[in-house]
């Protein structure tokens, strides 16, 4: 079991994003493990000494009451192991709402686990095409795509659950109940060099001394930090680490929180990403995301046998689910890479309401049955990929994994992890999890390796 406090702890509000932070930390040489829930003492012993401990969760898809239940236990664990920085990892597009994935609720629930009044919120991640300027968030549409203000983004402004109708993250978070949010804008970071290296600490000191306008006695001081360039990461990381030395700190944002600290520590250049080896066995991929980016990735996956799956029937028709499993396993046993994908078929509308809610768990159960069937057949899978945040979260649970460690990076924002499980058929499985907005068009081809 870890005997000294880790430098860094994180909770990912969905599984795909949690693996991105795992990759950032592991690439910097930090001994890192992502657990599937609050780890047991046995899991901590099995993981060995760790510099960074993560928990993958699903708070992004939860109502506030469920978030409080989930995050109270998470907070108690992190209070016990006392990481210097505790990171609540959110999606880089900040899609959330008062009724689901409420970031203000997460901050209020986790803050008692640390000792510092200041709660920094990083608003961008340039490595993924996410930029925050004067508190307004901008995001690229796909890897290398055109950049839009988030409330005009072709996908995020019409997200089916949490559409982003406000680009100013101060306003967006205030609508979720976060009081007294202040801001430090990017010109301060660019000026914070050389003889002016005290610029940022001085600006923060003024905020902490005076408190938010009209609210000087709040128990926490949330501050949104712009991020428009990777060149600003070290200044931001230095500010976070200085504050964390005074009192343990809760930081909020995408994986740029870890990137900023690593840039300050100077650890980012020492561990190059290992190449993804060519898979010697058939690869199974499941696309449960309905995003246009994932749809383009499916269309480009020419090396796979592609199997369309009726999402409506998958969650309601057991015979159809069994037939789909047989089709997938049949392709794999013939030596083909297989990509099964849900979504509207034959012009039918996508499922909604209760039918929509059933798709992700039904997909995850099918993925787990395919993995087990292949093992039972004597042809265990070595590598699988799952697209879709909700599907990924359910699939990891259905596969009965207790942890993930870093293997390599498939492309920016998409990690290939090594699965840890008490079940021998899943232990050591190489697993790619990716959200709907992540990856280039050739993502599934890249998953095969040595491209």
């Amino acid at each position: 079991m870890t005997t000294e406090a880790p430098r860094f702890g994180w909770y990912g509000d969905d599984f795909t994003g949690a693996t991105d932070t795992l990759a950032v930390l592991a690439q910097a040489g930090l001994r890192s493990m992502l657990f599937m829930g609050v780890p047991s003492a046995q899991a901590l012993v099995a993981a060995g000494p760790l510099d960074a401990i993560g928990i993958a969760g699903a708070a992004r898809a939860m109502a506030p009451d469920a978030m409080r239940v989930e995050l109270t236990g998470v907070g108690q664990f992190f209070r016990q192991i006392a990481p210097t920085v505790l990171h609540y990892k959110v999606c880089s597009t900040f899609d959330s709402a008062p009724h689901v994935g409420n970031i203000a609720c997460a901050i209020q629930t986790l803050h008692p686990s640390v000792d510092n009044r200041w709660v920094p919120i990083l608003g961008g991640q340039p490595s993924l095409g996410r930029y925050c300027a004067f508190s307004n968030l901008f995001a690229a549409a796909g890897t290398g795509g055109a950049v839009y203000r988030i409330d005009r983004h072709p996908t995020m402004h019409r997200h089916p659950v949490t559409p982003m109708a406000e680009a100013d993250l101060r306003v967006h978070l205030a609508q979720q109940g976060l009081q007294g949010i202040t801001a430090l804008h990017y010109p301060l970071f660019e000026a914070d060099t050389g003889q002016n290296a005290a610029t940022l600490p001085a600006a923060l000191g003024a905020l902490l001394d005076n408190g938010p306008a009209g609210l000087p006695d709040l128990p926490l001081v949330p501050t949104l930090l712009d991020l428009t360039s990777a060149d600003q990461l070290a200044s931001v990381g230095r500010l976070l680490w200085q504050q964390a030395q005074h009192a343990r700190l809760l930081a909020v944002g995408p994986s740029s929180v870890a990137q900023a600290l690593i840039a300050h520590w100077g650890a980012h250049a020492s561990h190059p990403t290992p190449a993804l080896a060519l898979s010697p066995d058939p690869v199974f991929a499941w696309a449960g995301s309905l995003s246009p980016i994932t749809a383009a990735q499916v269309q480009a996956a020419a090396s796979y046998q592609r199997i369309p799956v009726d999402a409506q029937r998958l969650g309601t028709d057991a015979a159809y689910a069994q037939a789909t499993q047989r089709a997938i396993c049949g392709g794999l046993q013939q030596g083909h890479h297989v990509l099964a994908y849900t979504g509207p078929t034959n012009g039918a509308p996508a499922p909604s309401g209760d039918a929509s809610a059933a798709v992700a768990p039904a997909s995850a159960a099918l993925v787990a049955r395919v993995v087990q069937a292949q093992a039972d057949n004597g042809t265990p899978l070595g590598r699988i990929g799952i697209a879709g945040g909700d599907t990924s979260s359910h699939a990891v649970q259905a596969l009965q994994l207790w942890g993930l460690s870093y293997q390599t990076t498939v492309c920016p924002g998409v990690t290939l992890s090594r699965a840890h499980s008490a079940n021998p058929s899943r232990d050591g499985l190489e697993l790619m999890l990716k959200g709907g907005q992540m990856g280039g068009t050739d993502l599934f081809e890249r998953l095969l390796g040595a491209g």
Side-chain angles (χ1 to χ4, degrees):
M1 185 171 179
T2 301
T3 56
E4 57 185 57
R7 281 201 225 179
F8 193 86
W10 82 101
Y11 172 92
D13 70 351
D14 74 0
F15 280 51
T16 59
T19 62
D20 182 49
T21 302
L22 171 68
V24 167
L25 295 161
Q27 287 169 358
L30 275 70
R31 298 168 297 178
S32 308
M33 180 69 73
L34 177 62
F35 294 96
M36 307 297 105
V38 173
S40 65
Q42 292 88 347
L44 287 170
V45 169
L50 295 171
D51 304 305
I53 294 177
I55 295 175
R60 183 180 170 195
M62 292 180 180
D65 285 348
M67 291 179 71
R68 292 185 190 97
V69 172
E70 163 108 346
L71 294 175
T72 295
V74 168
Q76 290 170 348
F77 169 75
F78 280 122
R79 184 80 189 177
Q80 179 181 6
I81 66 168
T84 309
V85 174
L86 172 58
H87 175 201
Y88 182 70
K89 197 279 178 193
V90 302
C91 181
S92 60
T93 50
F94 274 78
D95 49 307
S96 52
H99 68 287
V100 61
N102 187 313
I103 295 171
C105 173
I107 292 171
Q108 292 153 0
T109 306
L110 286 176
H111 189 254
S113 306
V114 300
D115 307 306
N116 203 312
R117 285 179 70 218
W118 187 49
V119 180
I121 304 169
L122 271 65
Q125 187 174 342
S127 64
L128 295 182
R130 311 292 190 250
Y131 312 97
C132 189
F134 297 103
S135 300
N136 282 264
L137 184 62
F138 299 79
T143 301
V147 175
Y148 298 85
R149 204 173 69 187
I150 198 68
D151 58 344
R152 297 177 181 176
H153 190 280
T155 301
M156 301 315 302
H157 92 279
R158 63 177 77 178
H159 190 283
V161 180
T162 49
M164 291 295 288
E166 175 57 62
D168 189 325
L169 292 180
R170 295 169 299 183
V171 177
H172 178 63
L173 295 173
Q175 291 170 346
Q176 297 179 22
L178 187 62
Q179 289 185 296
I181 185 167
T182 57
L184 294 172
H185 291 145
Y186 76 89
L188 282 171
F189 310 149
E190 296 187 339
D192 188 67
T193 58
Q195 294 181 340
N196 297 318
T199 301
L200 264 178
L204 176 59
L207 287 178
L208 294 175
D209 289 343
N210 299 325
L215 298 167
D217 299 322
L218 284 177
L220 56 88
V221 180
T223 304
L224 181 66
L225 307 181
D226 283 354
L227 201 54
T228 63
S229 166
D231 293 339
Q232 299 157 3
L233 286 169
S235 292
V236 172
R238 182 171 67 251
L239 187 67
L240 268 58
W241 194 241
Q242 287 172 345
Q243 283 294 314
Q245 302 312 295
H246 301 311
R248 294 177 49 249
L249 184 73
L250 171 65
V252 178
S255 295
S256 52
V257 171
Q259 289 174 336
L261 288 165
I262 289 164
H264 169 59
W265 295 332
H268 59 286
S270 56
H271 291 77
T273 301
L276 178 56
L278 180 68
S279 176
D281 303 308
V283 171
F284 170 47
W286 180 275
S289 165
L290 299 178
S291 81
I293 290 170
T294 300
Q297 292 164 344
V298 169
Q299 286 299 112
S303 298
Y304 292 76
Q305 176 185 340
R306 286 171 290 188
I307 300 177
V309 179
D310 186 321
Q312 181 87 34
R313 293 183 65 189
L314 183 65
T316 58
D317 186 338
Y320 177 77
Q322 290 172 354
T324 302
Q325 177 184 332
R326 288 195 297 271
I328 293 169
C329 290
L332 292 168
Q333 288 163 16
Q334 292 170 19
H336 302 301
H337 305 302
V338 175
L339 169 56
Y341 59 98
T342 60
T345 57
N346 299 323
S352 59
D354 291 343
S356 176
V359 172
S363 300
L366 181 55
V367 168
R369 291 199 302 272
V370 168
V371 170
Q372 189 60 51
Q374 289 298 111
D376 293 343
N377 190 55
T379 54
L381 292 168
R383 184 179 299 172
I384 68 174
I386 302 172
D390 288 349
T391 305
S392 294
S393 299
H394 285 286
V396 169
Q397 294 166 339
L399 287 168
Q400 299 178 319
L401 310 181
W402 61 258
L404 295 174
S405 56
Y406 176 70
Q407 190 90 351
T408 189
T409 296
V410 182
C411 63
V414 182
T415 299
L416 188 74
S417 302
R418 178 183 175 86
H420 299 270
S421 174
N423 185 325
S425 69
R426 289 95 188 268
D427 193 56
L429 181 68
E430 294 179 342
L431 177 62
M432 180 196 81
L433 306 175
K434 82 114 194 161
Q437 299 306 302
M438 294 297 136
T441 304
D442 63 345
L443 175 72
F444 289 114
E445 294 293 321
R446 283 176 174 263
L447 178 62
L448 302 179

